[in-house]
Amino acid sequence: MRHPFRALALGVALAATPACASLQLGQTRIENPVAAARSMDQRAYAILHSYAAIVEEAGDIVRDPAAPLSLKRALGQAERAATPAVETLQISVAAFVRARSDYDSVSRADQPALERAAAALTIAANRLSEAIAAAERPVDDLEALVRHR
């Protein structure tokens, strides 16, 4: 594992706050990054980073000789299902960020340029929303298998 403390911290945060946005433990506030996201691009980045940490942990499980073969196979299937959705999400969030940047840069330009940028931003936002919805389930399934260990 390349980043054991980061993966452990994210795993604890995700395990401690599966149904809520945050948990207060004394002075420490632990937040579920996906639930705490306030914008679509924040939610997408939270899913992408969660996926990366989950895949890293899944890799450790697969390399563990004591892990059951059925779990290793299930992790492989779940990862194969999640990866295309996550790759699409990466592309969609990049397109959304570019479209939002373009919109911001022409917000004081002439009306036709503004309308084109607004249309592009709307399309990118719709595609990002679809990509988020498509990625959440397979990433959650992969996370459930990692937690099951």
Side-chain angles (χ1 to χ4, degrees), residues 64-79:
D64 182 0
L69 185 58
S70 61
L71 176 59
K72 292 178 182 183
R73 286 186 180 143
L75 284 169
Q77 287 177 324
E79 190 272 334

Side-chain angles (χ1 to χ4, degrees), residues 16-105:
T17 61
C20 60
S22 65
L23 176 68
Q24 186 77 30
L25 296 173
Q27 298 288 32
T28 304
R29 183 175 185 89
I30 300 172
E31 296 202 15
N32 177 332
V34 177
R38 292 192 170 101
S39 66
M40 276 197 315
D41 55 330
Q42 287 177 352
R43 187 174 179 92
Y45 286 125
I47 292 169
L48 292 171
H49 289 284
S50 295
Y51 170 79
I54 292 165
V55 166
E56 191 171 322
E57 183 64 27
D60 290 344
I61 293 170
V62 168
R63 286 186 293 276
D64 182 0
L69 185 58
S70 61
L71 176 59
K72 292 178 182 183
R73 286 186 180 143
L75 284 169
Q77 287 177 324
E79 190 272 334
R80 282 189 297 279
T83 298
V86 169
E87 289 171 347
T88 300
L89 180 58
Q90 285 177 312
I91 294 166
S92 296
V93 75
F96 175 79
V97 169
R98 273 193 310 275
R100 187 176 58 199
S101 175
D102 291 347
Y103 178 80
D104 290 343
S105 69

